[in-house]
């Protein structure tokens, strides 16, 4: 079992010829081959809470390819906790790589109908006080507070902009709370028509009045959907920078940045921090040969 190692994180500058703009990519993907970087940060205070409250088990929710499910399984295993994953949909004949990996970390899986999943129904007696239940994606105030600590890895005041990919908005909320007053914070939503995202994000920010922006036009068809242009871009970005991305989150983030740069969205001398939030394990759902990395 590989341990989580935040010392492996690097800040990789990407320059855009003729633009005098630098994008620093914070490589949270490097902390672990499976545990997606931002998921570990979102989980850290839930883990702390579980340990302090003498819980034995963390129970959480996700889909068959969920980065959060496998990250929870691995993080619990590392911390001597048990884990339970409640998975959306009927049990398939062949489990996804993600779920096999989660089982490898000792996670116990329950499959529930889409309707029960939507209603966050727990298919066993969870009245037991030894279980801590965490929402899908780690959504919640402890998740956002954990995500705030991502900015301890950099000098946040150096940046004109911080960009990240958004699912639930938990990471965006954390980044916005920890960003310097002069820094613009922007999330690229990977879902189509996720109209509640700004409100959800704000709900995790406590008394912080910090502004943030969500861009809703870079989802490439919707959650876990992809276009040929996105895949081509991810391969090109990898050959130019050596940085791998995933097609659900970070590929859409870097593609959005590329398009915004090309449109002249950023002023000269902008210095942009882009959070590489991990998620590379999700690429294993793609057909072999789709990506060059
Ligand atoms: C879950 C995830 C996100 C989205 O994080 P939220 O806090 O849910 O917005 C972004 N990138 C990757 C790689 C993820 O796995």
């Amino acid at each position: 079992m590989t341990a989580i190692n935040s010392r492996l994180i690097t800040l990789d500058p990407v320059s855009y010829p003729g633009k005098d703009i630098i994008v620093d990519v914070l490589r949270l993907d490097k902390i672990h081959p499976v545990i997606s970087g931002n998921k570990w940060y979102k989980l850290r205070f839930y883990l702390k809470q579980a340990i302090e409250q003498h819980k034995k088990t963390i129970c959480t929710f996700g889909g068959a390819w969920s980065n959060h499910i496998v990250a929870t399984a691995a993080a619990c295993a590392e911390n001597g906790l048990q884990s339970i994953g409640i998975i959306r949909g009927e049990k398939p004949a062949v489990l996804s790589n993600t779920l096999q990996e989660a089982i490898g970390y000792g996670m116990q899986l329950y499959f529930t109908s889409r309707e029960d999943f939507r209603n966050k129904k727990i298919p066993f007696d969870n009245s037991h006080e030894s279980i801590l239940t965490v929402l899908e994606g780690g959504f919640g105030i402890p998740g956002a507070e954990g995500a705030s600590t991502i900015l301890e890895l950099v000098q946040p005041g150096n940046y004109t902009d911080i960009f990240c990919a958004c699912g639930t908005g938990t990471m965006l909320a954390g980044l916005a709370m920890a960003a310097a007053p002069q820094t613009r914070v922007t999330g690229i939503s990977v879902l189509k028509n996720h109209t509640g995202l700004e409100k959800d994000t704000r709900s995790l920010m406590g008394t912080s009045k910090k502004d943030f922006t969500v861009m809703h036009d870079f989802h490439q068809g919707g959650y876990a959907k992809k276009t040929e242009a996105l895949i081509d871009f991810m391969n090109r970005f990898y050959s130019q920078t050596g940085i791998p991305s995933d097609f659900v989150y970070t590929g859409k983030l870097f593609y959005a940045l590329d398009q915004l740069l090309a449109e002249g969205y950023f002023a000269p001398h902008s210095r942009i921090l882009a959070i590489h939030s991990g998620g590379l394990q999700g690429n294993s759902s793609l057909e072999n040969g789709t990506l060059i990395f």
Side-chain angles (χ1 to χ4, degrees):
M1 201 162 74
T2 320
I4 292 164
N5 187 351
S6 56
R7 284 191 300 269
L8 298 174
I9 295 169
T10 57
L11 197 56
D12 296 356
V14 177
S15 49
Y16 289 80
K19 286 257 185 222
D20 193 15
I21 289 174
I22 293 177
V23 177
D24 277 345
V25 179
L26 183 62
R27 299 288 306 276
L28 303 185
D29 58 305
K30 289 184 168 183
I31 65 172
H32 193 278
V34 176
I35 305 178
S36 165
N38 87 330
K39 292 302 183 289
W40 183 75
Y41 282 91
K42 290 198 290 179
L43 280 167
R44 65 190 299 184
F45 292 141
Y46 290 111
L47 291 163
K48 187 161 173 270
Q49 199 177 320
I51 293 162
E52 282 171 3
Q53 296 174 4
H54 306 291
K55 307 279 187 192
K56 289 199 173 61
T57 305
I58 290 184
C59 165
T60 195
F61 303 83
W65 294 98
S66 164
N67 293 324
H68 169 69
I69 283 289
V70 68
T72 303
C76 284
E78 282 208 3
N79 285 279
L81 294 163
Q82 289 172 349
S83 60
I84 299 176
I86 299 175
I87 310 302
R88 185 194 304 112
E90 299 305 316
K91 184 175 180 182
V94 181
L95 292 184
S96 67
N97 286 351
T98 309
L99 295 182
Q100 291 182 35
E101 195 96 39
I103 290 171
Y105 285 108
M107 184 176 255
Q108 196 182 341
L109 302 182
Y110 289 87
F111 292 84
T112 58
S113 70
R114 282 166 189 274
E115 192 187 335
D116 284 352
F117 188 90
R118 211 170 24 249
N119 297 326
K120 302 186 183 68
K121 194 165 157 205
I122 297 190
F124 54 87
D125 176 16
N126 80 326
S127 57
H128 210 283
E129 56 188 25
S130 68
I131 300 178
L132 177 74
T133 300
V134 174
L135 292 180
E136 188 177 8
F139 181 79
I141 289 170
E145 285 172 350
S148 284
T149 67
I150 291 171
L151 291 187
E152 291 171 6
L153 298 162
V154 298
Q155 308 242 289
N158 282 357
Y159 295 98
T160 53
D161 292 87
I162 298 176
F163 270 74
C164 71
C166 289
T168 64
T170 309
M171 170 168 57
L172 177 63
L175 295 172
M177 286 191 285
Q182 71 275 21
T183 305
R184 296 190 297 184
V185 180
T186 306
I188 302 297
S189 177
V190 303
L191 282 80
K192 193 170 169 177
N193 303 329
H194 190 182
T195 46
L197 182 54
E198 285 87 346
K199 195 164 146 274
D200 287 352
T201 302
R202 179 60 70 191
S203 76
L204 302 181
M205 288 176 60
T207 55
S208 169
K209 294 272 179 290
K210 175 75 180 173
D211 269 335
F212 60 85
T213 303
V214 177
M215 295 187 174
H216 290 278
D217 296 330
F218 294 101
H219 55 72
Q220 306 293 318
Y223 184 72
K225 299 275 198 308
K226 57 185 186 301
T227 56
E228 216 168 293
L230 173 67
I231 299 293
D232 288 348
F233 168 79
M234 288 166 61
N235 282 329
R236 200 164 62 240
F237 189 68
Y238 179 76
S239 14
Q240 285 165 359
T241 64
I243 300 174
S245 54
D246 77 292
F247 77 99
V248 182
Y249 293 102
T250 56
K252 292 178 184 178
L253 166 68
F254 296 128
Y255 194 24
L257 278 169
D258 192 72
Q259 292 173 59
L260 291 168
L261 269 147
E263 283 167 16
Y265 178 82
F266 298 104
H269 313 299
S270 290
R271 201 163 165 95
I272 302 156
L273 179 69
I275 310 295
H276 192 316
S277 39
L280 298 174
Q281 66 90 25
N283 285 340
S284 64
S285 71
L286 296 172
E287 215 174 296
N288 266 345
T290 307
L291 296 170
I292 59 170
F293 50 87

